[in-house]
Amino acid sequence: MHADMMSMPVHRVPFKAMGSACEVVLAAATSQDAQALAKTAIEEVLRIERKYSRYTTDSFISQINQSAGIGPVQCDAETWSLFQFSSQLFEKSDGLFDITSGVLRKAWDFKKAQVPSSVHLEKLRPLVGWQQVVLKDQCIALPLKGMEVDLGGFGKEYAADRASQVLKEKGVTSGYINLAGDMRFLGPKPTGEPWMIGIQDPRHPDQVIATLPMSQGGLATSGDYERYFELNGRRYCHVLNPQTGWPVTHWRSVSVTAPLAVLAGCTTTMAMLKEAAGLKFLKSTGFDFFAIDDLGEVHVQN
């Protein structure tokens, strides 16, 4: 580590993306340098958001969804590799990680504390099932009208990895990208010390329950406190089991560190979806994790 590197100031550049507060943190000689570097990373995040957002009608994902039941859509190399990855996740999770399960949101409105009728859920369930999707000749076809694909399950983490790659190519060796708690690290602080990252207490939003030292790789957290409602003493969270259509209940929060943010993110979500079997799964990955179950018990591997 060069002496001049150690004295380099750390700059924080906040921005909004994917409906969340985000931040690029990096060491650079001047504020202008930091702003210019951060801009390239932010542009990459916004590019991915524009391309894959389900909230805009002109995104590529929306085009695919609008073609459901009509015919196949040609994919570019980036999108094709993301769908191949989605297939691997589906297989590895025994069908629990399913990027067609977003349509279940039509039944679950987390702004209204209301449990959907079984009739409503049963109507949507035939539209869920990645095994129905046809992937062939770099084209994707959703066979049924009303089917949707949604890359929200790992989109933020993918964007964090891509943005960090952009910064790495520009020579940044100290800093991180934080997309609403999904993070990718480019290297330790200029002093060589790790960044100390707080993990939110799932039941006290303004409190930190653990602090993880991070220098490289990805960190992601999935929890039942991100979007939820409570009704008759029961909590309904936004992580939905695609096979039942119902929210998972076993984990309050799962944080995982892995070489890539996208790996960390998929691992946390899969653990949430696997419910009680999630702990065995987390241990089998070999990744470090910090998880809190529905009784408030902490499980750690580091």
Side-chain angles (χ1 to χ4, degrees):
M1 181 98 35
H2 303 304
D4 56 343
M5 171 82 195
M6 284 183 70
S7 60
M8 222 186 246
V10 170
H11 305 267
R12 295 178 173 271
V13 183
F15 67 103
K16 284 281 287 193
M18 304 179 176
S20 313
C22 305
E23 189 178 36
V24 178
V25 177
L26 51 82
T30 67
S31 170
Q32 285 94 327
D33 287 355
Q35 291 288 343
L37 285 163
K39 189 168 180 276
T40 61
I42 293 166
E43 277 170 0
E44 178 67 353
V45 172
L46 296 176
R47 175 191 76 80
I48 292 166
E49 179 175 21
R50 278 194 305 273
K51 188 170 176 180
Y52 298 121
S53 171
R54 61 180 162 81
Y55 297 108
T56 55
T57 49
D58 58 351
S59 71
F60 190 52
I61 280 294
S62 293
Q63 285 174 37
I64 292 169
N65 292 341
Q66 286 151 17
S67 302
I70 297 167
V73 178
Q74 182 79 43
C75 300
D76 61 10
E78 179 180 35
T79 308
W80 187 245
S81 69
L82 291 173
F83 286 147
Q84 297 297 327
F85 183 58
S86 303
S87 287
Q88 291 172 357
L89 293 171
F90 182 76
E91 282 158 32
K92 279 207 182 88
S93 65
D94 302 319
L96 285 173
F97 199 117
D98 187 332
I99 68 163
T100 65
S101 63
V103 291
L104 294 169
R105 272 191 320 272
K106 291 186 170 149
W108 293 93
D109 179 351
F110 290 94
K111 292 187 182 77
K112 295 190 194 115
Q114 203 177 335
V115 173
S117 69
S118 53
V119 177
H120 195 174
L121 274 179
E122 284 311 311
K123 264 208 191 99
L124 292 170
R125 281 189 49 202
L127 301 176
V128 178
W130 180 247
Q131 73 283 358
Q132 303 179 67
V133 174
V134 182
L135 293 178
K136 202 172 120 199
D137 304 329
Q138 213 170 307
C139 290
I140 183 168
L142 307 180
L144 303 173
K145 195 159 180 51
M147 272 188 96
E148 289 178 13
V149 284
D150 174 2
L151 296 179
F154 57 80
K156 276 216 281 280
E157 296 91 337
Y158 173 68
D161 285 330
R162 287 291 318 141
S164 85
Q165 190 56 36
V166 166
L167 289 177
K168 200 173 161 186
E169 285 163 11
K170 297 211 173 283
V172 177
T173 55
S174 170
Y176 60 87
I177 311 267
N178 180 0
L179 303 184
D182 292 324
M183 307 172 81
R184 176 67 194 274
F185 295 81
L186 286 143
K189 292 179 182 177
T191 56
E193 294 167 89
W195 306 95
M196 300 308 289
I197 305 299
I199 301 293
Q200 182 185 324
D201 183 324
R203 293 297 174 265
H204 304 97
D206 48 354
Q207 290 175 28
V208 166
I209 200 161
T211 308
L212 308 183
M214 294 295 302
S215 296
Q216 292 289 349
L219 167 66
T221 300
S222 196
D224 69 359
Y225 56 89
E226 293 165 296
R227 285 197 305 285
Y228 69 94
F229 63 82
E230 281 181 353
L231 195 63
N232 305 331
R234 200 183 145 178
R235 177 177 291 239
Y236 298 88
C237 83
H238 77 287
V239 182
L240 303 174
N241 179 317
Q243 292 157 0
T244 64
W246 282 79
V248 297
T249 58
H250 188 78
W251 296 102
R252 291 183 186 178
S253 165
V254 180
S255 299
V256 170
T257 65
L260 300 171
V262 79
L263 281 176
C266 294
T267 305
T268 61
T269 305
M270 241 181 249
M272 293 281 291
L273 288 164
K274 283 179 181 282
E275 308 240 18
L279 186 59
K280 190 178 173 203
F281 162 72
L282 284 170
K283 288 178 174 165
S284 76
T285 63
F287 298 148
D288 292 355
F289 64 82
F290 181 93
I292 303 163
D293 65 23
D294 54 346
L295 301 173
E297 275 200 45
V298 173
H299 306 266
V300 186
Q301 175 165 288
N302 53 24

